[in-house]
Amino acid sequence: MTDTTTTGTDLERRLARLEERTRALEDEREVTRLILSYGPLVDSGSADAVAGLWDADGVYDVDELLMRGRAQIAAMVRSDAHQGWIAGGCAHFVGPPHVTVTGDDATAVSYSLMVTHGDGGFALRRATANHWTLHRADSGWRIVTRTARVLDGRPESPALLASGVCAPVASGERA
Amino acid sequence: MTDTTTTGTDLERRLARLEERTRALEDEREVTRLILSYGPLVDSGSADAVAGLWDADGVYDVDELLMRGRAQIAAMVRSDAHQGWIAGGCAHFVGPPHVTVTGDDATAVSYSLMVTHGDGGFALRRATANHWTLHRADSGWRIVTRTARVLDGRPESPALLASGVCAPVASGERA
Amino acid sequence: MTDTTTTGTDLERRLARLEERTRALEDEREVTRLILSYGPLVDSGSADAVAGLWDADGVYDVDELLMRGRAQIAAMVRSDAHQGWIAGGCAHFVGPPHVTVTGDDATAVSYSLMVTHGDGGFALRRATANHWTLHRADSGWRIVTRTARVLDGRPESPALLASGVCAPVASGERA
């Protein structure tokens, strides 16, 4: 296949490059998986597990409520309001995140839908723009900040979406 | 780059480890892809293809209907009820699954939304919690069980979500 | 671990195979990521960035509107109609795509939900079947065609879903 003599150094270099590429894929997969665990944990009322997705001093900033640190996040899950959603039927449906990993830091953008059940069946209570920043801790990736803004026309919500997704490099003509 | 002499044995060990890591990424990708093919196949009435996602004796357990084996799953797709959904307009929108692979077995948790079209436009008919178990067959991954429960407040639905998603290892203080 | 002598040629062959497998995973990840950037870019009115997801002569074929080339795609984002959706509150929620990469080409199938905000809260305006074809350009993957058809009962929409998802290889008995 190769017409040059393959030396140990060549193999070593290719192996090191592959290790980097595999690590990049694994990091993106771990960040995605962490984000996707939010819905199942919050909709099952797993308060400590939800809080454990964040760094010890992580921030969860929703337009309706600002939470600082794990105790406040767990308290939200245990609140009467949230327990009421679970009792009535509720889905925090988080869409596939668009993740960007840079070393030990990552950002992600995703949509989420909050679907609630009531007498009239299911209703779409919220459609939300989410911007996540994450950091690699000793025990794995954790959320540093999650900023969530409802997409009800307020300008900060589209801005949040744009802030986390870069346009691909333009090639040739532009629109 | 390395200040130690790299021996063939070192390279061999690193290569074997990379092969394992790549296999793990591929497995998770194949399980995810299998799950994501359910919606397009069921909404296009591809009855045999839907049934072929399951093991020959696989189980599809929905709160409304229990199906055992491929013949019963295909029969559901061919039923008047399901054909009526397709004729009217229907989306089985499956969210990104949270997948855990362990050797030749896997579990996954996902949400799904059933959206139907009618005179008044689109309606959200169901929001559902899904728990999947899968097995690696000779010809690739197949579903062993899919358990789906509507999120209408019945306690088994949140329990299903919690059962498939482990909390990350706690680091430092707890909430 | 191996009871045969591992030669440099063996290592070289395994390394080359791993490089191919990693490339396949990266390609699928890049195509997925490109598709997932559509929603955040279009809902933030990033007209040139949306257009830049397509090839210079790419096609965006929606049942309501046919766009050829980047200028027409950017014009749609800048249109009064689209700017009105953003001003009122809007989510183009794209589900996780089912991607198939073949060399420098790829196809993908996904659902999308268009959620709009109005006086009565959030409404589900459209559920749409999407079929994507993509090509690897010098600067990365770009969309060649995106065909979107509303799932309102018209037969072409389910056909679009079926066209992009192959059934797994059947093993043993058939339904």
Side-chain angles (χ1 to χ4, degrees), chain A residues 80-132:
Chain A
D80 289 347
H82 188 81
Q83 294 294 317
W85 297 124
I86 295 176
C90 184
H92 287 80
F93 191 105
V94 177
H98 180 285
V99 177
T100 306
V101 177
T102 314
D104 293 332
D105 295 292
T107 58
V109 166
S110 67
Y111 291 86
S112 57
L113 300 178
M114 184 175 171
V115 174
T116 56
H117 184 265
D119 290 339
F122 287 97
L124 194 50
R125 184 176 174 266
R126 281 174 63 104
T128 304
N130 295 271
H131 183 277
W132 315 66

Side-chain angles (χ1 to χ4, degrees), chain B residues 52-114:
Chain B
L53 301 176
W54 268 260
D55 247 2
D57 54 356
V59 172
Y60 185 9
D61 176 2
V62 193
D63 40 79
E64 296 176 330
L65 182 66
L66 174 65
M67 293 156 274
R68 294 184 180 279
R70 290 183 183 150
Q72 292 188 9
I73 295 169
M76 174 275 287
V77 181
R78 293 197 180 98
S79 69
D80 288 348
H82 187 81
Q83 294 294 318
W85 296 125
I86 295 176
C90 184
H92 287 79
F93 191 105
V94 178
H98 180 284
V99 177
T100 306
V101 177
T102 314
D104 293 331
D105 295 292
T107 58
V109 166
S110 67
Y111 291 86
S112 56
L113 301 178
M114 184 176 171

Side-chain angles (χ1 to χ4, degrees), chain A residues 147-163:
Chain A
T147 309
R149 292 289 180 273
V150 65
L151 285 153
D152 63 355
R154 66 184 75 189
E156 62 193 292
S157 306
L160 207 57
L161 293 173
S163 70

Side-chain angles (χ1 to χ4, degrees), chain C residues 61-114:
Chain C
D61 176 1
V62 192
D63 40 79
E64 296 176 330
L65 182 66
L66 175 65
M67 294 156 272
R68 295 184 179 279
R70 290 183 183 149
Q72 292 188 8
I73 295 168
M76 174 276 287
V77 181
R78 293 197 180 97
S79 69
D80 288 348
H82 188 80
Q83 294 295 318
W85 297 125
I86 295 175
C90 184
H92 286 79
F93 191 105
V94 178
H98 179 285
V99 177
T100 307
V101 176
T102 316
D104 293 332
D105 295 292
T107 59
V109 166
S110 67
Y111 290 86
S112 55
L113 301 177
M114 183 175 172

